[in-house]
């Protein structure tokens, strides 16, 4: 009897990675909805610029939600799919009734900071488990999101 899963990872390591990925998924889902809310509700002089930027960001987040869920399935586990689970697991909290553009951008910066922190932890654990697929996913997200945080902070001045 083998102690590895279908893709050759140790079963216990794959289970721990799936748990971390599910936590990441929960944070992505809450952050996605916050960003949709920013898109829908932003007001002010920067409306057109921010409305378009928020749509670009939430579209990318939705892609990542799917990729993270599919990675969990690849490891042999089930992704969380109930908002009650997301709320109980997510470090990112709902951001409601926000319409000020700068406040929305600050919410994006804070959300990305949480994601980057979670992904760094995931990257380390995936590397230790020789899980190149999960490590690559986390590494790509980190690189992209660090640049986004820099740009959002530049916008905020």
């Amino acid at each position: 009897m083998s102690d590895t899963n279908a893709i050759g990872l140790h079963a216990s390591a794959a289970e721990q990675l799936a748990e971390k990925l599910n936590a990441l998924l929960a944070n992505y889902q809450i952050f996605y909805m916050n960003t949709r809310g920013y898109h829908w509700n932003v007001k002010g002089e920067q409306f057109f610029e921010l409305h378009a930027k928020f749509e670009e960001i939430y579209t990318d987040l939705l892609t990542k939600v799917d990729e993270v869920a599919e990675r969990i399935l690849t490891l042999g586990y089930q992704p969380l799919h109930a908002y009650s689970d997301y709320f109980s697991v997510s470090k990112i909290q709902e951001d409601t009734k926000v319409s000020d553009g700068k406040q929305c951008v600050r919410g994006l910066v804070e959300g990305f900071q949480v994601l980057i922190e979670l992904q760094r932890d995931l990257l380390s654990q995936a590397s230790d488990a020789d899980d190149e697929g999960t490590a690559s996913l986390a590494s790509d997200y980190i690189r992209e999101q660090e640049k986004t945080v820099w740009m959002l902070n530049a916008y905020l001045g």
Side-chain angles (χ1 to χ4, degrees):
M1 185 161 141
S2 176
D3 187 29
T4 59
N5 67 5
I7 59 172
L9 296 176
H10 289 284
S12 61
E15 182 177 14
Q16 291 172 1
L17 287 163
E19 287 176 22
K20 287 217 182 275
L21 283 162
N22 262 317
L24 183 62
L25 177 64
N27 281 274
Y28 266 106
Q29 285 283 44
I30 301 301
F31 190 44
Y32 167 78
M33 287 309 300
N34 286 349
T35 307
R36 289 296 302 238
Y38 302 153
H39 170 77
W40 291 330
N41 296 304
V42 69
K43 292 178 174 54
E45 293 179 27
Q46 302 292 316
F47 170 81
F48 290 105
E49 176 185 357
L50 291 175
H51 184 75
K53 179 51 87 175
F54 297 154
E55 182 174 4
E56 174 189 319
I57 291 172
Y58 77 65
T59 300
D60 181 66
L61 292 171
L62 187 56
T63 298
K64 287 176 172 54
V65 162
D66 194 52
E67 291 172 348
V68 171
E70 288 177 352
R71 187 65 196 166
I72 295 165
L73 290 163
T74 300
L75 292 174
Y77 293 89
Q78 184 174 8
L80 298 176
H81 61 277
Y83 271 94
S84 57
D85 291 332
Y86 299 150
F87 289 128
S88 69
V89 173
S90 181
K91 289 183 175 185
I92 298 173
Q93 300 299 304
E94 286 183 304
D95 198 5
T96 61
K97 299 181 181 159
V98 178
S99 61
D100 175 73
K102 287 202 175 213
Q103 189 177 352
C104 293
V105 173
R106 279 189 213 96
L108 288 177
V109 169
E110 291 168 6
F112 278 122
Q113 288 171 333
V114 170
L115 292 177
I116 291 167
E117 176 186 337
L118 292 170
Q119 290 162 167
R120 283 189 179 131
D121 186 43
L122 178 64
L123 175 62
S124 176
Q125 189 170 343
S127 295
D128 290 345
D130 292 326
D131 179 1
E132 179 61 30
T134 302
S136 176
L137 189 79
S139 178
D140 289 349
Y141 291 178
I142 291 166
R143 177 189 44 77
E144 177 186 317
Q145 291 165 0
E146 286 175 340
K147 183 175 180 179
T148 301
V149 167
W150 162 65
M151 295 174 99
L152 292 170
N153 277 322
Y155 174 86
L156 291 171

